[in-house]
Amino acid sequence: MATVNVRYFAALRESLGGSETVDIEPGQTLGQLRDTLIARGGAHAAALARGKAVRCALNQVMADESAPLIAGAEVAFFPPVTGG
Amino acid sequence: MPRVSIQTDDFDLSTEVAAVRAGDAGVGAIASFIGTVRDRSPGEPAISAMELEHYPGMTEAAIEAMIDEACRRFPLRGVRVIHRVGRLLPGDQIVLVVTSSSHRGAAFQGCEFLMDYLKTQAPFWKKETTPEGARWVDARVADDEALARWGLRSGNAA
C-alpha cells in the first residue's frame, strides 16, 4: 500500500499532532485525502471539516485539492497563512 | 550573504542594508520595510506576546521563489528577506525586506510586491497571547486584495 507523510501546522497541529503516515489509493487527490481523514471522525473530522478554511501544500509547494498524490509525497494541511 | 533567513534572533537594518549595497556601485536606490509586533489591534484585547510558527524548508523555498518573481518583474540589484519565528513581544521586529535597484521605482515596487506576496503565500502563522487567552490570528481578505493589485490571485483568506 502506498503512503504519504501528512504534516499539520498551527491550530491543526495543536489538535492533530505534527505528522502522521497515511495510506493512499492510486490516483487519489489531495482533496480526497482530506475527505478520508475527515471520515475518521473525532479530532480529524473537527479540524479538517468542509467549510473550515484549510490550505494545503504538496511537497512543500502550495497546492489545491485537485492535485494528485504520489507515493512518498509530503502533504501538509494548515490554516490560512498569517506571516509578515 | 543568503537572500532569505528564517531566525529567532533579531536583525539590524543598517547591517542588512550595508550588506545589500556592498560592492555594487550601480545601486542608486534602496527601499526597506520592517514589520513589528503591535500591542493591540483596534477593538481587540492587548497583546502580551506573539508566537510565530513556520513550515521549515517550505518557508525558505517559497520566499526564494517570490524573490525570483520580484526580480523578473522589476530590475532589482539586490534583495534580502529576514523573517523571525518563535516568541516575540510587542515592539519587536518580525520581518525585514530590503531591495536595491538603480532607481527608486523598482526598489519601492519590489519591496511592496515581496511583502504583499509574503503575507498571503509564505507558510507562517501568528498566535497572540492576550489576557483573554491565546488565539491564532485570522488571515485578512485585504491581504489577498493587496496581492491582486499585482495581477496575482490568492485565496488564502477567502
Side-chain angles (χ1 to χ4, degrees), chain B residues 30-111:
Chain B
I30 294 166
S32 65
F33 172 87
I34 293 175
T36 59
V37 180
R38 279 187 302 276
D39 65 353
R40 65 173 64 232
S41 297
E44 301 285 335
I47 296 162
S48 55
M50 180 172 276
E51 191 74 29
L52 263 142
E53 179 172 335
H54 78 121
Y55 186 164
M58 177 173 168
T59 316
E60 293 85 346
I63 298 173
E64 286 283 355
M66 289 172 201
I67 294 173
D68 288 341
E69 179 62 23
C71 291
R72 272 192 292 274
R73 289 171 176 245
F74 312 106
L76 300 175
R77 302 182 71 95
V79 177
R80 178 83 170 116
V81 176
I82 301 176
H83 204 299
R84 294 178 70 191
V85 293
R87 182 179 163 84
L88 299 175
L89 300 174
D92 281 352
Q93 304 186 115
I94 306 175
V95 59
L96 170 72
V97 175
V98 176
T99 52
S100 70
S101 187
S102 301
H103 300 282
R104 71 183 183 283
F108 276 132
Q109 287 187 301
C111 189

Side-chain angles (χ1 to χ4, degrees), chain A residues 35-60:
Chain A
D35 288 330
T36 301
L37 294 167
I38 291 169
R40 288 185 187 172
H44 284 80
L48 296 166
R50 293 290 166 188
K52 293 197 77 162
V54 174
R55 306 290 172 247
C56 37
L58 179 58
N59 289 330
Q60 304 197 352

Side-chain angles (χ1 to χ4, degrees), chain B residues 134-147:
Chain B
R135 63 172 208 101
W136 292 98
V137 174
D138 289 328
R140 299 163 68 236
V141 172
D143 290 329
D144 287 332
E145 292 168 353
L147 189 64

